[in-house]
Structures are given as structure tokens and as C-alpha cells.
Amino acid sequence: MRIVLLGAPGAGKGTQCKRIAERYGLQHLSSGDILRDQRAAGTELGKRAQSYMDSGALVPDEIIVDMMIDATKKSPAAGFILDGFPRTVNQAAELDKSLDSSNQDIDVILNLQIDDQVIQERMTGRRSCPKCGAVYHIKNLKPKVDEICDNDGTNLIQRPDDSPEVVANRLKTYHQQTEPMVDYYKDNRMIYDIDANKNADEVSTLIFEKLDSLVRA
Ligand code: ADP
Ligand code: AMP
């Protein structure tokens, strides 16, 4: 199964992708996580991406497209779930072209719909484990011990691009550059809208009901 999960930054894509990947045995491919890993490893790609990420702009397509298409090609036969990619019409078209060339397609596109007022609170309260990538929220999805990762005991960090100023810029970027891509998909494919304003378990239930029905069909 090949799934794309769409949604504004902070909509809960990473949180839901981890659950979906586990339930259906898929590889979770997050463009943001891959970029952060490249930065932590000090690679040339990571250095090129740095200033864009820190300001809340999109990293140029010529960097992202190769990086993510390469990741999809290396993914196991069971399939993948894409998180944060594609984010522009051009990225979506390049992904289509690549899948087409190997007679593949995206099977399901899910769109997490969330109100802008909810996003600010989600992103500024987000905490992440720098070691295993687990994501928490200081109020909504707390770790067992404040500021400590449940999985490995590492001190949680706040992403530098989750500051209120950068969040505002990322939202602007989303509305200007990514929403037109949602329309591109709507013109070409069936998209399933999911109400992401609900709590994380309720959102998972909505997604699993949809995916289970598609797997059974
Ligand atoms: P994205 O990957 O779309 O940027 P995340 O999955 O990292 O979003 O979620 C953003 C923040 O909101 C995290 O702190 C996460 O713990 C929290 N969160 C995710 N889903 C929900 C939800 N349905 N309700 C409340 N908080 C949520
Ligand atoms: P995310 O973890 O998805 O919130 O992404 C963090 C940052 O990485 C974004 O603000 C962008 O700067 C960059 N990024 C992630 N995915 C993409 C993409 N598909 N296209 C361009 N930039 C991206």
C-alpha cells in the first residue's frame, strides 16, 4: 500500500503516520525527519537545507524531489506512507512521474483538515526526542515523565522552527505553496478528508476505519 498523508504543519501527520506505519507494516517516510537527520549528520544536503528550514520556507524542489524519490525506491515491497512530501504541485507531479515509470501509483491520499487557530497551540507545545524521533505535546500527548522520552529516557527538545514567529511563516508557506497542490490532487484523484481537530485517538480511529475498508475492498 502506498499512502500520502497531507495536512498543514502541526496537523498531526507525524503522529498519525507512526501509528499507520505500525498497523499496516509500512515504511514511514517523513521529509522533515530525513532533512533533520541530514543536518545532524552535517552532510552537504543538510547544510543546503538549513537556512530554508530555519526561516519556515520550503527547501527547493531540486533538493527534495531526488531525496524523497530515492527513499520511495528503496522502500520495502509492503509500501510506504509519505509525510511532508509532496508539498508543491511540482513535487506531486514528479512523484507521479516516478511511480508511473515503474507502473505504480499512490493507493490512498488522506488529508488532515485542521483550523489555523489549533495549529499554533499544537506546534508551540510540541516536544521531540532527538534520539528516536518520538513526538509528544506538553498538554495533549504528554510523556510519562515531563520532558523525558518514554522510549529511551532522552531529554526532549523543542524544534527551533516551532517558535511562534517561524510557525507563522510556515503557515503562510503552507497556504501559498502547498494548498494549491491539494487542489492538484483533488483534480486528479480521490482524496479522503479527515477531521484532525479531534484528539489523536479519535483521528486514528477515523483513519483506520477508512484504511481498513479500503484494504478489505
Ligand atoms: P505534523 O507532523 O503534521 O507537523 P505532529 O504529528 O508533529 O504534526 O503533531 C504536532 C503536535 O501536536 C505534536 O506536539 C503532537 O504531539 C500534537 N498532536 C498531534 N495530533 C494531535 C491531536 N489530534 N490532538 C492534539 N494534539 C495532537
Ligand atoms: P516538517 O518536519 O514536515 O514540518 O518540515 C520541516 C521543514 O523541512 C519545513 O518547514 C521545510 O523547510 C522542510 N521541508 C520538509 N519537507 C519538505 C518538502 N516536501 N518540500 C520542501 N521543504 C520541505
Side-chain angles (χ1 to χ4, degrees), residues 9 31-33 35-36 52-53 56-59 64 84-87 91 126 159 161 170:
S31 47
D33 285 350
L35 288 168
R36 281 182 286 277
Y52 302 99
M53 295 174 78
L58 291 186
V59 174
I64 291 291
F85 175 86
R87 246 174 163 110
Q91 290 179 15
R126 172 161 52 192
R159 276 172 47 178
D161 59 345
R170 290 164 70 196

Side-chain angles (χ1 to χ4, degrees), residues 8-15 122 126 135-137 140-141 198-200:
K13 299 184 297 299
T15 302
R122 286 211 184 158
R126 172 161 52 192
V135 176
Y136 303 88
H137 189 279
N140 306 333
L141 289 158
K198 297 174 183 290
N199 76 41

Side-chain angles (χ1 to χ4, degrees), residues 3-17 20 30-32 58 81-88 91 108-116 119 122-123 126 159 170-183 185-186 191-197 203 207:
I3 305 177
V4 173
L5 188 65
L6 303 176
K13 299 184 297 299
T15 302
Q16 297 301 331
C17 278
I20 296 166
S30 154
S31 47
L58 291 186
I81 177 153
L82 286 171
D83 165 5
F85 175 86
R87 246 174 163 110
T88 62
Q91 290 179 15
V108 189
I109 303 173
L110 299 167
N111 185 30
L112 295 185
Q113 291 191 303
I114 186 163
D115 300 332
D116 274 7
I119 290 180
R122 286 211 184 158
M123 283 160 96
R126 172 161 52 192
R159 276 172 47 178
R170 290 164 70 196
L171 270 184
K172 207 165 98 194
T173 303
Y174 174 77
H175 291 305
Q176 285 175 349
Q177 292 178 263
T178 306
E179 266 179 355
M181 181 205 68
V182 180
D183 295 335
Y185 274 136
K186 281 190 174 149
I191 290 195
Y192 299 102
D193 289 329
I194 304 283
D195 181 1
N197 296 302
V203 176
I207 292 175

